[in-house]
Amino acid sequence: MFITRECDYAVRVVRALWGESRLSVSDICEKESVTAPFAYKILKKLQKAEIVKGYRGVHGGYSLNEGLDELTLYDIYSAIDPEMFIIECLDPKYSCIRDGQNGMPCLVHKELVRVQDELVNLLKRKTIQQIMEEA
């Protein structure tokens, strides 16, 4: 999993909504320097993951659907990119010609699985609220 620009911007969207009852997309974009088309795409994924709630109509907009005391970076990143792998060979759908070659498992693969697991644990370690309150 490389943290993509889309993942980074999703955190920005959540940060913009923090402490707000409801914001329009244009307000989110202005607060966090995100383009509107990109914000809509991100908000759609965050809404599908039930991280944000969308409101229609004249007074529409978006708000956080759950408290930041429950939400982690992992939750946001996985909402945007559910298949977060640091390298493609960790994807179960990927077929590596070197794994199992000569009857031996790929030892590099085994180490990368440990690295991936550690990264996931670190992303789950703190809530967004804990991160925001450190400042």
Side-chain angles (χ1 to χ4, degrees):
M1 170 223 333
F2 290 100
I3 298 171
T4 63
R5 178 174 291 151
E6 188 176 8
C7 287
D8 175 47
Y9 283 17
V11 173
R12 291 185 192 191
V13 167
V14 169
R15 182 173 57 197
L17 292 170
W18 182 47
E20 301 286 347
S21 58
R22 189 180 303 181
L23 284 179
S24 69
V25 173
S26 61
D27 290 337
I28 293 169
C29 293
E30 187 176 317
K31 281 180 88 169
E32 293 293 339
S33 301
V34 178
T35 64
F38 212 20
Y40 278 111
K41 180 180 175 184
I42 290 165
L43 284 160
K44 184 176 180 180
K45 290 181 180 183
L46 293 175
Q47 192 171 5
K48 183 178 178 185
E50 299 182 352
I51 293 172
V52 301
K53 184 175 181 180
Y55 300 90
R56 295 178 183 251
V58 177
H59 301 288
Y62 292 87
S63 67
L64 289 173
N65 200 30
E66 56 186 270
L68 294 182
D69 58 329
E70 301 170 13
L71 192 63
T72 66
L73 286 172
Y74 178 81
D75 297 325
I76 297 169
Y77 293 162
S78 61
I80 300 302
D81 185 5
E83 297 184 354
M84 299 187 310
F85 302 110
I86 59 172
I87 188 167
E88 66 184 343
C89 76
L90 296 182
D91 185 340
K93 294 178 265 177
Y94 181 79
S95 178
C96 179
I97 60 170
R98 288 174 186 80
D99 193 27
Q101 191 176 35
N102 300 326
M104 298 290 296
C106 177
L107 299 178
V108 173
H109 178 88
K110 285 177 65 174
E111 182 60 20
L112 290 173
V113 167
R114 284 191 280 271
V115 170
Q116 174 84 28
D117 290 344
E118 186 65 28
L119 179 59
V120 167
N121 288 334
L122 287 170
L123 292 172
K124 290 179 176 180
R125 185 177 55 136
K126 291 183 178 181
T127 66
I128 299 298
Q129 183 170 334
Q130 289 170 321
I131 293 168
M132 299 296 277
E133 289 176 348
E134 285 181 353

